[in-house]
mmCIF file of all heavy atoms in Angstrom:
data_model
loop_
_atom_site.group_PDB
_atom_site.id
_atom_site.type_symbol
_atom_site.label_atom_id
_atom_site.label_comp_id
_atom_site.label_asym_id
_atom_site.label_seq_id
_atom_site.Cartn_x
_atom_site.Cartn_y
_atom_site.Cartn_z
ATOM 1 N N GLN A 333 43.263 -21.148 17.604
ATOM 2 C CA GLN A 333 42.744 -20.356 16.484
ATOM 3 C C GLN A 333 41.228 -20.224 16.568
ATOM 4 O O GLN A 333 40.676 -19.159 16.300
ATOM 5 C CB GLN A 333 43.159 -20.982 15.161
ATOM 6 C CG GLN A 333 44.623 -20.823 14.872
ATOM 7 C CD GLN A 333 45.047 -21.530 13.601
ATOM 8 O OE1 GLN A 333 44.300 -22.320 13.027
ATOM 9 N NE2 GLN A 333 46.264 -21.256 13.166
ATOM 10 N N ALA A 334 40.547 -21.296 16.932
ATOM 11 C CA ALA A 334 39.089 -21.242 17.059
ATOM 12 C C ALA A 334 38.676 -20.271 18.154
ATOM 13 O O ALA A 334 37.743 -19.479 17.981
ATOM 14 C CB ALA A 334 38.532 -22.639 17.342
ATOM 15 N N TRP A 335 39.366 -20.296 19.287
ATOM 16 C CA TRP A 335 39.050 -19.374 20.371
ATOM 17 C C TRP A 335 39.359 -17.930 19.994
ATOM 18 O O TRP A 335 38.659 -17.003 20.388
ATOM 19 C CB TRP A 335 39.799 -19.751 21.650
ATOM 20 C CG TRP A 335 39.036 -20.750 22.451
ATOM 21 C CD1 TRP A 335 39.334 -22.063 22.611
ATOM 22 C CD2 TRP A 335 37.828 -20.525 23.171
ATOM 23 N NE1 TRP A 335 38.390 -22.667 23.392
ATOM 24 C CE2 TRP A 335 37.446 -21.741 23.749
ATOM 25 C CE3 TRP A 335 37.026 -19.416 23.378
ATOM 26 C CZ2 TRP A 335 36.308 -21.880 24.517
ATOM 27 C CZ3 TRP A 335 35.885 -19.562 24.155
ATOM 28 C CH2 TRP A 335 35.552 -20.775 24.704
ATOM 29 N N ALA A 336 40.415 -17.725 19.226
ATOM 30 C CA ALA A 336 40.751 -16.369 18.800
ATOM 31 C C ALA A 336 39.632 -15.786 17.944
ATOM 32 O O ALA A 336 39.273 -14.624 18.074
ATOM 33 C CB ALA A 336 42.068 -16.376 18.024
ATOM 34 N N ARG A 337 39.045 -16.609 17.066
ATOM 35 C CA ARG A 337 37.940 -16.143 16.217
ATOM 36 C C ARG A 337 36.652 -15.973 17.009
ATOM 37 O O ARG A 337 35.983 -14.954 16.919
ATOM 38 C CB ARG A 337 37.708 -17.124 15.071
ATOM 39 C CG ARG A 337 38.763 -17.081 13.991
ATOM 40 C CD ARG A 337 38.351 -17.909 12.785
ATOM 41 N NE ARG A 337 38.095 -19.293 13.108
ATOM 42 C CZ ARG A 337 38.993 -20.264 13.064
ATOM 43 N NH1 ARG A 337 40.227 -19.991 12.714
ATOM 44 N NH2 ARG A 337 38.678 -21.500 13.362
ATOM 45 N N ALA A 338 36.279 -16.967 17.792
ATOM 46 C CA ALA A 338 34.979 -16.953 18.477
ATOM 47 C C ALA A 338 34.966 -16.050 19.703
ATOM 48 O O ALA A 338 34.012 -15.305 19.915
ATOM 49 C CB ALA A 338 34.577 -18.373 18.875
ATOM 50 N N GLY A 339 35.999 -16.104 20.491
ATOM 51 C CA GLY A 339 36.035 -15.324 21.725
ATOM 52 C C GLY A 339 36.038 -13.831 21.481
ATOM 53 O O GLY A 339 35.463 -13.058 22.251
ATOM 54 N N CYS A 340 36.654 -13.424 20.408
ATOM 55 C CA CYS A 340 36.735 -11.986 20.115
ATOM 56 C C CYS A 340 35.435 -11.432 19.542
ATOM 57 O O CYS A 340 35.292 -10.222 19.402
ATOM 58 C CB CYS A 340 37.888 -11.715 19.158
ATOM 59 S SG CYS A 340 39.492 -12.007 19.926
ATOM 60 N N THR A 341 34.482 -12.282 19.204
ATOM 61 C CA THR A 341 33.215 -11.802 18.650
ATOM 62 C C THR A 341 32.205 -11.453 19.730
ATOM 63 O O THR A 341 31.183 -10.846 19.432
ATOM 64 C CB THR A 341 32.591 -12.845 17.702
ATOM 65 O OG1 THR A 341 32.311 -14.038 18.437
ATOM 66 C CG2 THR A 341 33.513 -13.161 16.543
ATOM 67 N N VAL A 342 32.464 -11.824 20.980
ATOM 68 C CA VAL A 342 31.559 -11.506 22.082
ATOM 69 C C VAL A 342 31.914 -10.114 22.601
ATOM 70 O O VAL A 342 33.017 -9.902 23.094
ATOM 71 C CB VAL A 342 31.663 -12.543 23.225
ATOM 72 C CG1 VAL A 342 30.748 -12.166 24.370
ATOM 73 C CG2 VAL A 342 31.355 -13.932 22.708
ATOM 74 N N PRO A 343 30.990 -9.162 22.474
ATOM 75 C CA PRO A 343 31.304 -7.803 22.941
ATOM 76 C C PRO A 343 31.536 -7.762 24.450
ATOM 77 O O PRO A 343 30.909 -8.496 25.201
ATOM 78 C CB PRO A 343 30.060 -6.999 22.573
ATOM 79 C CG PRO A 343 29.256 -7.861 21.671
ATOM 80 C CD PRO A 343 29.680 -9.279 21.894
ATOM 81 N N ASP A 344 32.448 -6.913 24.872
ATOM 82 C CA ASP A 344 32.693 -6.732 26.302
ATOM 83 C C ASP A 344 31.423 -6.253 26.992
ATOM 84 O O ASP A 344 30.702 -5.410 26.468
ATOM 85 C CB ASP A 344 33.795 -5.696 26.533
ATOM 86 C CG ASP A 344 35.167 -6.236 26.167
ATOM 87 O OD1 ASP A 344 35.319 -7.463 26.103
ATOM 88 O OD2 ASP A 344 36.068 -5.422 25.943
ATOM 89 N N GLY A 345 31.160 -6.783 28.166
ATOM 90 C CA GLY A 345 30.009 -6.347 28.949
ATOM 91 C C GLY A 345 28.672 -6.826 28.423
ATOM 92 O O GLY A 345 27.644 -6.253 28.743
ATOM 93 N N THR A 346 28.660 -7.886 27.602
ATOM 94 C CA THR A 346 27.397 -8.408 27.090
ATOM 95 C C THR A 346 26.587 -8.957 28.251
ATOM 96 O O THR A 346 27.033 -9.861 28.950
ATOM 97 C CB THR A 346 27.642 -9.514 26.052
ATOM 98 O OG1 THR A 346 28.429 -8.986 24.997
ATOM 99 C CG2 THR A 346 26.336 -10.037 25.488
ATOM 100 N N PRO A 347 25.385 -8.405 28.499
ATOM 101 C CA PRO A 347 24.582 -8.880 29.633
ATOM 102 C C PRO A 347 24.184 -10.347 29.461
ATOM 103 O O PRO A 347 23.820 -10.766 28.373
ATOM 104 C CB PRO A 347 23.349 -7.990 29.616
ATOM 105 C CG PRO A 347 23.534 -7.005 28.536
ATOM 106 C CD PRO A 347 24.741 -7.375 27.748
ATOM 107 N N GLY A 348 24.295 -11.097 30.509
ATOM 108 C CA GLY A 348 23.840 -12.482 30.506
ATOM 109 C C GLY A 348 24.868 -13.494 30.040
ATOM 110 O O GLY A 348 24.655 -14.682 30.179
ATOM 111 N N VAL A 349 25.980 -13.084 29.458
ATOM 112 C CA VAL A 349 26.995 -14.033 29.003
ATOM 113 C C VAL A 349 27.891 -14.365 30.186
ATOM 114 O O VAL A 349 28.606 -13.525 30.687
ATOM 115 C CB VAL A 349 27.835 -13.474 27.837
ATOM 116 C CG1 VAL A 349 28.955 -14.446 27.478
ATOM 117 C CG2 VAL A 349 26.964 -13.200 26.636
ATOM 118 N N LYS A 350 27.793 -15.617 30.636
ATOM 119 C CA LYS A 350 28.593 -16.058 31.775
ATOM 120 C C LYS A 350 29.629 -17.094 31.375
ATOM 121 O O LYS A 350 30.592 -17.310 32.067
ATOM 122 C CB LYS A 350 27.683 -16.647 32.851
ATOM 123 C CG LYS A 350 26.723 -15.628 33.421
ATOM 124 C CD LYS A 350 25.827 -16.254 34.448
ATOM 125 C CE LYS A 350 24.845 -15.209 34.947
ATOM 126 N NZ LYS A 350 23.826 -15.779 35.787
ATOM 127 N N GLN A 351 29.383 -17.759 30.250
ATOM 128 C CA GLN A 351 30.277 -18.823 29.823
ATOM 129 C C GLN A 351 30.201 -18.919 28.312
ATOM 130 O O GLN A 351 29.138 -18.736 27.731
ATOM 131 C CB GLN A 351 29.829 -20.140 30.450
ATOM 132 C CG GLN A 351 30.639 -21.338 30.038
ATOM 133 C CD GLN A 351 30.174 -22.583 30.766
ATOM 134 O OE1 GLN A 351 29.825 -22.531 31.940
ATOM 135 N NE2 GLN A 351 30.164 -23.693 30.085
ATOM 136 N N LEU A 352 31.309 -19.197 27.694
ATOM 137 C CA LEU A 352 31.352 -19.375 26.248
ATOM 138 C C LEU A 352 31.938 -20.747 25.977
ATOM 139 O O LEU A 352 33.088 -21.014 26.315
ATOM 140 C CB LEU A 352 32.209 -18.287 25.600
ATOM 141 C CG LEU A 352 32.312 -18.315 24.090
ATOM 142 C CD1 LEU A 352 30.943 -18.081 23.454
ATOM 143 C CD2 LEU A 352 33.293 -17.260 23.626
ATOM 144 N N ASP A 353 31.122 -21.625 25.405
ATOM 145 C CA ASP A 353 31.573 -22.977 25.069
ATOM 146 C C ASP A 353 31.873 -23.036 23.582
ATOM 147 O O ASP A 353 31.186 -22.413 22.772
ATOM 148 C CB ASP A 353 30.495 -24.013 25.399
ATOM 149 C CG ASP A 353 30.284 -24.152 26.890
ATOM 150 O OD1 ASP A 353 31.243 -23.987 27.643
ATOM 151 O OD2 ASP A 353 29.149 -24.428 27.289
ATOM 152 N N LEU A 354 32.880 -23.780 23.225
ATOM 153 C CA LEU A 354 33.270 -23.897 21.830
ATOM 154 C C LEU A 354 33.792 -25.298 21.590
ATOM 155 O O LEU A 354 34.767 -25.715 22.209
ATOM 156 C CB LEU A 354 34.365 -22.860 21.512
ATOM 157 C CG LEU A 354 34.877 -22.846 20.088
ATOM 158 C CD1 LEU A 354 33.781 -22.391 19.124
ATOM 159 C CD2 LEU A 354 36.069 -21.919 19.984
ATOM 160 N N TRP A 355 33.150 -26.027 20.704
ATOM 161 C CA TRP A 355 33.629 -27.348 20.336
ATOM 162 C C TRP A 355 33.095 -27.675 18.953
ATOM 163 O O TRP A 355 32.139 -27.094 18.490
ATOM 164 C CB TRP A 355 33.198 -28.419 21.346
ATOM 165 C CG TRP A 355 31.736 -28.633 21.460
ATOM 166 C CD1 TRP A 355 30.966 -29.500 20.731
ATOM 167 C CD2 TRP A 355 30.828 -27.982 22.361
ATOM 168 N NE1 TRP A 355 29.661 -29.415 21.108
ATOM 169 C CE2 TRP A 355 29.543 -28.488 22.112
ATOM 170 C CE3 TRP A 355 30.990 -27.005 23.340
ATOM 171 C CZ2 TRP A 355 28.427 -28.070 22.811
ATOM 172 C CZ3 TRP A 355 29.872 -26.583 24.025
ATOM 173 C CH2 TRP A 355 28.616 -27.120 23.774
ATOM 174 N N ALA A 356 33.749 -28.587 18.286
ATOM 175 C CA ALA A 356 33.337 -29.022 16.952
ATOM 176 C C ALA A 356 32.357 -30.174 17.099
ATOM 177 O O ALA A 356 32.646 -31.169 17.740
ATOM 178 C CB ALA A 356 34.548 -29.456 16.143
ATOM 179 N N PHE A 357 31.180 -30.006 16.506
ATOM 180 C CA PHE A 357 30.203 -31.085 16.522
ATOM 181 C C PHE A 357 30.558 -32.151 15.495
ATOM 182 O O PHE A 357 30.356 -33.327 15.700
ATOM 183 C CB PHE A 357 28.800 -30.547 16.194
ATOM 184 C CG PHE A 357 28.221 -29.705 17.287
ATOM 185 C CD1 PHE A 357 28.264 -28.319 17.208
ATOM 186 C CD2 PHE A 357 27.635 -30.275 18.390
ATOM 187 C CE1 PHE A 357 27.728 -27.529 18.204
ATOM 188 C CE2 PHE A 357 27.097 -29.500 19.395
ATOM 189 C CZ PHE A 357 27.146 -28.123 19.298
ATOM 190 N N ALA A 358 31.060 -31.712 14.353
ATOM 191 C CA ALA A 358 31.396 -32.640 13.277
ATOM 192 C C ALA A 358 32.491 -32.025 12.416
ATOM 193 O O ALA A 358 32.655 -30.814 12.366
ATOM 194 C CB ALA A 358 30.163 -32.939 12.431
ATOM 195 N N VAL A 359 33.215 -32.877 11.722
ATOM 196 C CA VAL A 359 34.231 -32.444 10.771
ATOM 197 C C VAL A 359 33.949 -33.166 9.468
ATOM 198 O O VAL A 359 33.660 -34.358 9.464
ATOM 199 C CB VAL A 359 35.652 -32.794 11.278
ATOM 200 C CG1 VAL A 359 36.697 -32.409 10.251
ATOM 201 C CG2 VAL A 359 35.926 -32.118 12.604
#
Side-chain angles (χ1 to χ4, degrees):
Q333 289 176 349
W335 273 108
R337 287 189 302 269
C340 292
T341 62
V342 178
D344 287 340
T346 302
V349 175
K350 297 179 182 171
Q351 177 177 322
L352 182 63
D353 292 328
L354 180 66
W355 63 89
F357 289 100
V359 177

